[in-house]
Amino acid sequence: MKLDHVVESQQFTVPLLLELFERSRSMERVVARGGTRDYDDKIMATLFYEPSTRTRFSFEAAMHRLGGNVLSTEQAKAFSSEIEGEQLEDTIRIVSGYADVIVVRHHESGGARRAARVSSVPIVNAGDGRGGQHPTQALLDLYTIHRERRSLDGLSIAIVGELDEGRTARSLTYLLSKFDRVKIYFVSPPEVQMRPDILEHLEEHQVWYALERDVSKVLGEVDVVYQTRLRPERLADRGAQARYNLDAKLLSAMRRDAMILHPLPRTVEIDPAVDGDPRALYFRQARNGIFVRMALLTMLWDTTGA
Amino acid sequence: MKLDHVVESQQFTVPLLLELFERSRSMERVVARGGTRDYDDKIMATLFYEPSTRTRFSFEAAMHRLGGNVLSTEQAKAFSSEIEGEQLEDTIRIVSGYADVIVVRHHESGGARRAARVSSVPIVNAGDGRGGQHPTQALLDLYTIHRERRSLDGLSIAIVGELDEGRTARSLTYLLSKFDRVKIYFVSPPEVQMRPDILEHLEEHQVWYALERDVSKVLGEVDVVYQTRLRPERLADRGAQARYNLDAKLLSAMRRDAMILHPLPRTVEIDPAVDGDPRALYFRQARNGIFVRMALLTMLWDTTGA
Amino acid sequence: MKLDHVVESQQFTVPLLLELFERSRSMERVVARGGTRDYDDKIMATLFYEPSTRTRFSFEAAMHRLGGNVLSTEQAKAFSSEIEGEQLEDTIRIVSGYADVIVVRHHESGGARRAARVSSVPIVNAGDGRGGQHPTQALLDLYTIHRERRSLDGLSIAIVGELDEGRTARSLTYLLSKFDRVKIYFVSPPEVQMRPDILEHLEEHQVWYALERDVSKVLGEVDVVYQTRLRPERLADRGAQARYNLDAKLLSAMRRDAMILHPLPRTVEIDPAVDGDPRALYFRQARNGIFVRMALLTMLWDTTGA
């Protein structure tokens, strides 16, 4: 299957996801062998209009493990010292004459789609705007679950945190809705719960979900606890934040074969005491980002799928 | 022919320019084949005292296409967190112990020349100061014209915009004056017309030129329209800017075999509707920068010319 | 000998130092031959929480000469655009999933040690805090002396400048104390002289030292003048600074086989007229940083020492 751009998580069908997971798994073996030089003729431009060193490093490491080269900026707003108001479109037209793929992080929702419209090389969305998408994060989240469970059908997951503005939680939910018999618990204070557009999407696709406000109630049920941040300043009762944080006590309520994920960076949502637990997979999850991004890059360049 | 540094466009003789164009053309073939690894032992430092991501990316992409490696900064002013007032000269002495070529963009006119004076490796000027030089831009402009026309002799060109502070327009004019039977129209509101020093240079070298204020008058005459920016705040009549912008109507007055160039980035000088016209070569021109810079780098390193 | 991390200069024993010097010397030959591709499967992350382009370039050039790849940031404080208060520890846990070595420059003393505690890959300290360490600078200083003299035993050295806050002078003194019959003159205005903790360390290790305030008195005695900065605003008598600056007159008092070192960047401490003197080795010293850092990287990765 041919992949032209990676703009939003909705564009991925189940067969495309399964191909991605298979390729990602084989990339783990490639990295264990010391990477490849097969793509040493390729150049990736990471064009970041706002800094995100973690995401940028993950893409660039993926590129280096493939043998490729990188043009890098976190100051794309200062793309030119001379002219104000340069258009994203012209920048993309120019950089697509330099590079073989452009990874864009843009401050405006829809930025990646605008880039894809004019680019002569593949565009990968590395996050666009608050309410926008961050599809490669959702893909690596899903890969991490698939890698452990071998399947996504029948998955039961608690998505915890500030969900109304959670770019990651929204993108992940879109992807989960493509699989069979998935059960999703959205665990959040009511004032920052998941938005109706996503809930309607789940109803349309007949995906089971429940809105919860007590994390302890669902911990014993789920295969995955997907923890995200919760900023106290957005809550009616600031003290409520603490009730959603994962600590050793809550850990003991979880199933022994469950897994704890977090898109990172975390602040207080997960107690460092949890890090040593075998169910805590969030650093493994971050590392999986390398394999998923390597796989995506090769899918963008290979004219025929596996 | 040996090239030690690239500091200003005047240093290029016609034979050196023709060698550069021939090498640039062969670099197009090298890139089409996936680049080369011939220079994988080389390191380029891009030492930018002011940001210009587009120019930096172009040099770095050229280096990667040659197989080489890059040390990169757009914050060279913050070269050291400890000491204020570090001299450019000491920085160059140190970095020339690390790298095989240094691409300098400096905020002061003459910065590149100062760098070349103390460097033990080749210096390439990537722009120095408002009134300074940006020779590789002029070289890629000229290459783009030469590539289409096969010759620069007998060229007729309209250089349009704010020419008194136009670093690019000035450098290009210097280079054009080296060829035979060139005709240059400087098209600009009188208050920002080309400065006397350049006009005197043309008179000395017996190059034909005319000062114009109406772009429509010359469009039917010229082989090349070289459009540059025109900031309304510098004009006596702010509305005058619009009369110099290239749009579909002016396009129809141009010769069918003409070409439209722009050093980019543009703001309003060229209507996006012009982009689809086969005469609009400005994005090709930007891409040619890769080939010209690859060619320059190899000329700096090869002890004997082609 | 196995090296796990490079955190502080004290960790280096004399045999480890001698192995490092031998490897550094062989790296000079490697670079003269055009570098190696032996480490083209390795990735270095340079994670700088404050800018130091010179130090960063030196590490990155070392990595490129070994054939390796680099992830680079001087804005690690802006590691995430989303979350304030991300911990150094989590950043290191994540980046050690991407890279094979992490070079950290941190604004807090002890930052490198904290990083080493949680990292799954080697950490190299590229400077941590004002009163902290900068061990690779001290190692390249020592290598430069060893390279010229073939031995460090019996060395006599004047360390000149503002020594109380001199991270480099402190680290170098620690290393010198490991060798036999070393004589150290600390030459400094009394108010910024070397601190008691270092002097006590020397007394414990029975290293000869003297506190001096007149540089001309010791110049004829020493093998090495190690010049560092001296900020006038820290002196009781601002004019005193000039008496510690090295100029042509003081040069004539030095031994013919002596050497002048400086960690750079300099401001006024060394007159540019001194640069041409064969005893002025500070730019060679900066270049030696490449070889020492190449040697350190290979020692971190090779499971058994030479």
Side-chain angles (χ1 to χ4, degrees), chain C residues 62-250:
Chain C
M63 189 63 179
H64 288 308
R65 296 293 185 207
L66 292 170
N69 308 288
V70 176
L71 309 174
S72 183
T73 186
E74 282 186 342
Q75 310 187 71
K77 275 187 197 167
F79 196 69
S80 163
S81 58
E82 292 169 42
I83 299 210
E84 292 295 316
E86 183 176 7
Q87 288 297 311
L88 171 65
E89 280 78 2
D90 271 12
T91 301
I92 295 292
R93 286 185 188 103
I94 294 168
V95 176
S96 64
Y98 300 168
D100 302 296
V101 63
I102 305 175
V103 178
V104 183
R105 186 177 190 102
H106 203 258
H107 45 286
E108 289 170 20
S109 183
R113 189 185 302 278
R114 284 167 53 202
R117 211 171 285 138
V118 300
S119 179
S120 59
V121 299
I123 295 291
V124 180
N125 185 358
D128 58 346
R130 280 316 100 209
Q133 286 256 349
H134 191 359
T136 61
Q137 177 67 48
L139 292 169
L140 76 89
D141 294 341
L142 209 63
Y143 172 64
T144 303
I145 302 172
H146 186 266
R147 190 184 184 285
E148 300 298 315
R149 275 187 98 248
R150 300 284 113 206
S151 168
L152 290 158
D153 295 329
L155 180 79
S156 135
I157 183 172
I159 302 181
V160 185
E162 187 184 312
L163 303 181
D164 60 340
E165 295 193 354
R167 193 161 59 176
T168 304
R170 293 171 58 87
S171 292
L172 180 62
T173 304
Y174 271 122
L175 285 178
L176 287 170
S177 74
K178 296 173 184 279
F179 292 89
D180 293 334
R181 292 168 290 112
V182 168
K183 292 177 71 174
I184 308 178
Y185 298 92
F186 297 110
V187 185
S188 177
E191 62 270 37
V192 293
Q193 253 295 5
M194 186 55 88
R195 288 193 180 149
D197 63 328
I198 295 284
L199 303 181
E200 283 159 24
H201 174 87
L202 293 177
E203 281 158 24
E204 262 173 49
H205 290 76
Q206 301 182 293
V207 181
W208 189 99
Y209 73 85
L211 303 182
E212 279 290 344
R213 54 192 301 173
D214 185 349
V215 68
S216 67
K217 266 198 184 161
V218 304
L219 279 183
E221 303 289 325
V222 297
D223 301 304
V224 176
V225 176
Y226 188 90
Q227 194 82 7
T228 69
R229 69 167 173 176
L230 190 53
R231 289 170 297 181
E233 63 270 26
R234 293 202 59 223
L235 305 184
D237 168 14
R238 285 177 169 241
Q241 185 200 24
R243 292 202 298 273
Y244 294 84
N245 294 345
L246 207 57
D247 58 17
K249 192 164 141 267
L250 286 177

Side-chain angles (χ1 to χ4, degrees), chain A residues 64-294:
Chain A
H64 289 309
R65 295 296 184 204
L66 293 171
N69 307 289
V70 175
L71 308 175
S72 184
T73 186
E74 284 187 341
Q75 309 187 71
K77 277 187 196 168
F79 195 69
S80 163
S81 58
E82 291 168 42
I83 300 209
E84 293 295 316
E86 183 176 7
Q87 289 295 311
L88 172 65
E89 280 78 2
D90 271 11
T91 302
I92 295 293
R93 287 185 187 103
I94 294 168
V95 176
S96 65
Y98 299 169
D100 302 296
V101 63
I102 305 176
V103 178
V104 182
R105 186 179 191 102
H106 202 258
H107 46 284
E108 289 170 22
S109 183
R113 188 184 303 278
R114 284 168 53 202
R117 210 170 287 138
V118 299
S119 179
S120 58
V121 300
I123 295 291
V124 181
N125 184 359
D128 58 346
R130 280 316 100 209
Q133 286 256 349
H134 191 0
T136 62
Q137 177 67 48
L139 292 169
L140 74 90
D141 295 340
L142 209 64
Y143 172 65
T144 303
I145 302 172
H146 186 266
R147 191 184 183 283
E148 299 298 316
R149 274 186 101 246
R150 300 285 113 208
S151 168
L152 290 158
D153 295 329
L155 180 79
S156 133
I157 183 171
I159 302 180
V160 185
E162 186 184 312
L163 305 180
D164 60 340
E165 295 193 354
R167 191 162 60 177
T168 305
R170 292 171 59 88
S171 292
L172 180 61
T173 303
Y174 272 122
L175 285 178
L176 287 169
S177 74
K178 296 174 184 281
F179 292 89
D180 292 334
R181 291 167 291 112
V182 168
K183 291 177 70 173
I184 308 177
Y185 298 92
F186 296 110
V187 186
S188 177
E191 62 269 38
V192 293
Q193 254 295 6
M194 186 56 87
R195 288 193 180 150
D197 63 328
I198 296 284
L199 304 181
E200 283 158 25
H201 175 87
L202 293 177
E203 282 158 25
E204 262 173 49
H205 291 76
Q206 300 180 296
V207 182
W208 188 99
Y209 74 85
L211 303 181
E212 279 289 343
R213 54 191 302 172
D214 185 349
V215 68
S216 67
K217 266 197 185 162
V218 303
L219 279 183
E221 302 290 326
V222 296
D223 301 304
V224 175
V225 177
Y226 189 90
Q227 194 82 9
T228 68
R229 70 168 173 174
L230 190 54
R231 289 170 298 180
E233 63 270 27
R234 294 204 57 224
L235 305 184
D237 168 14
R238 285 177 170 241
Q241 185 200 24
R243 294 202 298 272
Y244 294 84
N245 294 346
L246 207 57
D247 57 17
K249 191 164 143 268
L250 286 177
L251 250 192
S252 66
M254 284 179 61
R255 282 172 27 202
R256 297 190 67 89
D257 64 346
M259 48 188 129
I260 306 163
L261 302 183
H262 192 297
L264 300 179
R266 66 174 159 184
T267 51
V268 298
E269 310 91 65
I270 300 183
D271 189 310
V274 173
D275 295 0
D277 192 279
R279 292 167 289 188
L281 293 187
Y282 28 91
F283 293 116
R284 160 81 66 94
Q285 177 188 1
R287 182 167 161 76
N288 285 342
I290 305 288
F291 311 126
V292 171
R293 286 169 176 129
M294 289 174 75

Side-chain angles (χ1 to χ4, degrees), chain B residues 179-207:
Chain B
F179 293 88
D180 292 335
R181 290 169 290 113
V182 168
K183 291 178 72 174
I184 308 177
Y185 298 90
F186 295 111
V187 186
S188 177
E191 62 269 39
V192 294
Q193 254 295 8
M194 186 55 87
R195 290 194 179 147
D197 62 328
I198 295 285
L199 304 181
E200 283 158 24
H201 174 86
L202 293 177
E203 282 157 24
E204 261 173 51
H205 291 75
Q206 300 181 292
V207 180

Side-chain angles (χ1 to χ4, degrees), chain B residues 41 72 79 81 83 90 97 100, chain C residues 34 51 53 56 65 266-267 287:
Chain B
D41 60 335
S72 183
F79 196 67
S81 59
I83 299 210
D90 271 11
D100 303 296
Chain C
T53 307
R56 182 169 65 81
R65 296 293 185 207
R266 66 173 158 184
T267 50
R287 181 166 161 76

Side-chain angles (χ1 to χ4, degrees), chain B residues 149-195:
Chain B
R149 274 187 99 247
R150 301 282 114 208
S151 169
L152 290 157
D153 295 330
L155 180 79
S156 133
I157 183 172
I159 303 180
V160 184
E162 184 184 315
L163 303 180
D164 59 340
E165 295 193 353
R167 192 162 60 179
T168 305
R170 293 170 58 88
S171 292
L172 180 61
T173 303
Y174 271 123
L175 285 178
L176 287 169
S177 73
K178 296 174 185 281
F179 293 88
D180 292 335
R181 290 169 290 113
V182 168
K183 291 178 72 174
I184 308 177
Y185 298 90
F186 295 111
V187 186
S188 177
E191 62 269 39
V192 294
Q193 254 295 8
M194 186 55 87
R195 290 194 179 147

